[in-house]
Amino acid sequence: MKSVTTKLLVIGGGPGGYVAAIRAGQLGIPTMLVEGERLGGTCLNIGCIPSKALIHAAEEYDKVCHYADGSPLGISVDKARIDLERTVQWKDGIVKRLTGGVGALLKKNGVQVLSGWARIVDGKTVEVQEAGAGEVTRISCEHLLLATGSQAVELPFMEFGGAVMSATEALSPATLPKRLVVVGAGYIGLELGIAYRKLGAEVAVVEAMDRILPAYDDELAKPVASSLKRLGVQTHLGCSVLGMNEAGDAVRVRDAAGNESELAADRVLVAVGRRPRTEGWGLESLLLDMNGRAVKINDQCQTSMRGVWAIGDITGEPMLAHRAMAQGEMVADIIGGKRRHFTPVAIPAVCFTDPEIVVVGLTPQEAKQAGIDCITANFPFAANGRAMTIEGTDGFVRVVARGDNHLIVGWQAVGRGVSELSTAFSHSIELGARLEDVAGTIHAHPTLGEAVQEAALRALGHALHI
Ligand code: FAD
Ligand code: NAD
């Protein structure tokens, strides 16, 4: 067995782990990173990036299909065709470029990357069975950073395999299923369900709650529900899945009234959440304080054991790549001697459905629950010139601000392309902007961003274009 020593050892090369390692390298901290599968983690390999690539390809194809039916824009095409193998290759090319870039950045910053699965010996010692060579390396470290991410929740009566897929398999289809049943109308179920529908599959979504996207309020989810209807995605709300039928060609479903039925399916995507990856690599032996299934951390990402840190999905919700990255950067800074705390005013969340949803900060309901007397105002994209020119008039921007001093505490938006507004939303909240600041800023015309200014103006009682 080979023995090595380092100051910082990072387990997991996803957005949390690799960002922490890059920043540590920049700060001159001797750093090693262990990754069992592929650098880039869930996000770059089987999550954020490939899903957004597939969603984009599906949108483009859907657009061309519509042009084949004639279009008010005067565009027509004879017949739309898609070569799914090439689509998947194109998506894989983007993943390869990005993950290769991560490897290059780690190298450039002097981080030593070990390819293999880490097993915890104690809070300062880890063993790694190196891929290929099979040699075991024992690493002693001063600081241990846990960044092992999360994995898809499996339904015990519908395990992954065969026709039943997780998002990972759904992101690399060899062929398009004729009929896809999606279990779970959350982020993954709807992002990928809509993409499959646009690629040409018949899609049915089964959701246990009585509405789609239960994490968002009704007003925000409504334009997505209308879009599902328009696209022909069937929704079965308030239903529980019971498993596959005996022939394996349909999903058995029970509705709220107890009636059972079957939904024909060539493939089934189960997207009922993700859980922190805390088992199978010796973590239990550290007896860390837990927060349910997640590792409990304080506002510096310290666990209950001195010198052991945790970031990203292993620490629970919100399981988002940008949160993992921000935590990783901060931990490296702290180890490098800086005084930092993870206390963002807001962490943006974007759902890449059609239309997209953005939530930053407090919703009106959350503000009310927090005892804040607030003003809220919506500005509809139907009154925004740019939205008309991109055929995206469905949706709105909503602002939530304190009634007393007009401090903005939340933004929400739903509409085509609104993911890009998340930057402006986050800036205004983190910088402590008031309604007057946004209302008094000149926003370029014609842009969707004008709806942001108009929402602030409307909250102040003097919107111009409505
Ligand atoms: P991960 O990215 O999961 O990385 C953990 C790494 O640790 C993995 O590479 C794993 O192989 C490695 N590892 C685990 N155990 C060990 C061990 N014992 N030894 C060595 N290595 C180990 N988030 C967004 O913000 N925006 C999105 O649009 C978005 N889309 C998504 C779409 C899908 C389909 C999915 C599944 C997720 C999506 N997410 C999105 C969530 C995002 O991918 C995660 O929040 C993010 O990847 C978490 O980063 P992480 O570093 O904590 O963990
Ligand atoms: P999710 O929590 O977003 O949605 C799961 C859905 O499944 C919920 O609506 C839930 O009510 C439903 N559900 C649970 N059990 C069920 C059952 N037995 N039958 C029917 N419905 C059931 O989870 P997800 O879509 O799997 O995504 C996992 C995580 O990945 C997200 O929470 C998010 O953190 C991350 N993610 C983020 C993005 C993004 O940022 N755009 C995209 C994809 C994934």
Side-chain angles (χ1 to χ4, degrees), residues 11-18 34-49 51-52 114 116-119 147-151 167-168 171 187-188 191-192 274 277 280-281 311-314 318-325 348 350 352:
I11 306 182
Y18 85 70
V34 188
E35 170 53 56
E37 268 176 302
R38 281 165 295 169
L39 287 175
T42 304
C43 178
L44 265 54
N45 292 288
I46 51 167
C48 328
I49 296 297
S51 63
K52 270 76 243 180
L114 229 68
W117 292 101
R119 208 179 157 75
T148 53
S150 62
Q151 61 200 70
T168 305
L171 287 169
Y187 278 93
I188 295 177
E191 286 186 5
L192 294 185
R274 294 181 62 83
R277 210 155 157 175
W281 49 285
I311 54 171
D313 285 8
I314 190 181
M319 293 195 196
L320 297 171
H322 40 279
R323 168 177 171 263
M325 291 194 240
V350 178
F352 292 84

